[in-house]
Amino acid sequence: MATELFDNAKRNKADEFYTRMPDIEKELRYYKDYFRDKVILCNCDDPYESNFFKYFSMNFNYLGIKKLIATCYAGSPVAGTQLPLFETENSESKTNKLKQAYKIEITKIEDENSDGAFNLTDVEYLLRNNNNIITTLNGNGDFRSEECVELLKEADIVITNPPFSLFREYVAQLIEFDKKFIIIGNTNALTYKEIFKLIKEDKLRTGYTNFNVGMYFYVPEDWDNYHKVEDGRKLVRVSTSCWFTNLYVKKHRDFITLYKKYTPEEFPHYENYDAINVDKVSEIPFDYDGEIGVPITFLDKYNPDQFEIIALGIVGSISFSCEKKMEILRKGKPTGEYTVNAKGTLYRKYNPIKDTKPPAFRDIETGELYSSMYARIIIKRRERHNGN
DNA sequence: CCTATCTTTTGAGAACACAG
DNA sequence: CTGTGTTCTCAAAAGATAGG
């Protein structure tokens, strides 16, 4: 059973990350107009810990939200918050686990405690004093469970930080039910076949927050490899985290300014595929009409009207035209290991003057040295538009 | 159908380079 | 030096293939 993945013992510890409020505010402010009269679902989250829930409950009236639904799975870590309504498995431990999955449904929220102001205490008041706002779920709160799918069907837009380890499945479900979404994922996910396909078809794009800003996330108390502490809580920097959405994002309608002129010297062809190599997105030549290999960071600036995405520059996505037997080098030194397709990557001739890294392969017959390229996106410039 | 062996894919990351 | 943004490692795990 797939749901077994969500059982305590089997769940990936790394799925217990919480997003910081500044990161949420920074991204979501661009979609404000979209939230009006919408049903918003924040799943895979503990509402008592989640800043997503806090953001939408606090801004419920300001944004004009129709309904806010949040779900929390059993086994969710409860870092420091006092839970008024649900007991945890072990009250002695610093990292409590929630025993019972539940959901919260808010359709109206006002100055609940009549103190003249609207803030988080009103949200808490509402939760404490209305037993129909919080209700227990029958199952463990897994986003794939029947009752959670019912909640998904009701939603207009899903906003959360899903478990990275289940990212593929999570996105597949959102697509299956044709939902709008704004979620956090790993930039490595861009190279997943299924995710890349969605980007290529312009059904998915990166969000407003710039790529690779290195978001910090709260981790459980007993987490060892943390990078800094803020307000007594451990944080981990994930340098490859970014927002994914299928909503309109302005930067993907802006044209990338191109200023470089193509020269064969500066933009060498790959040995195993008919495309030129470009190391920086800003250096894509404006006058080259063939296929171009660019770094993955391109996808954060990609405008479908300016470029066409051909494929991922890795084995399985394109066919390599050259299969030399080469020795694999490690830090430029022989290893005695061989490969015929450069471990499935694009490669070009080693340039002893410009390259700062040692070569990765050596042709066993000719002795020619080659550098392998980090995952590239193969693109092609579209026909020039008037005035472009 | 199972096991041994070879091949491909993966990363809630790691390691840089660079600006200030 | 630190903070920030970009490029890239490598070994484990999963998948594919071959042989009995």
Side-chain angles (χ1 to χ4, degrees), chain A residues 255 286 288-290 304-308 380-388:
Chain A
F255 284 79
F286 60 81
Y288 188 80
D289 294 329
D305 291 329
Q306 186 178 23
F307 292 102
E308 176 190 357
K380 194 173 192 298
R381 208 160 44 83
R382 288 197 188 276
E383 291 301 311
R384 296 187 124 198
H385 297 252
N386 288 336
N388 175 32

Side-chain angles (χ1 to χ4, degrees), chain A residues 9 14 18 33 46 116 128 172 185 218 220 259 263 265 304 309 315 330 340:
Chain A
Y18 285 106
D33 294 340
D46 173 4
R128 278 178 196 276
Y218 294 116
Y259 69 95
T263 62
E265 296 75 34
I309 294 176
V315 66
R330 194 166 291 134
V340 290

Side-chain angles (χ1 to χ4, degrees), chain A residues 256-273:
Chain A
I256 304 168
T257 309
L258 308 176
Y259 69 95
K260 279 255 178 186
K261 205 169 161 49
Y262 168 73
T263 62
E265 296 75 34
E266 191 166 6
F267 304 105
H269 266 78
Y270 298 117
E271 291 292 316
N272 52 350
Y273 188 79

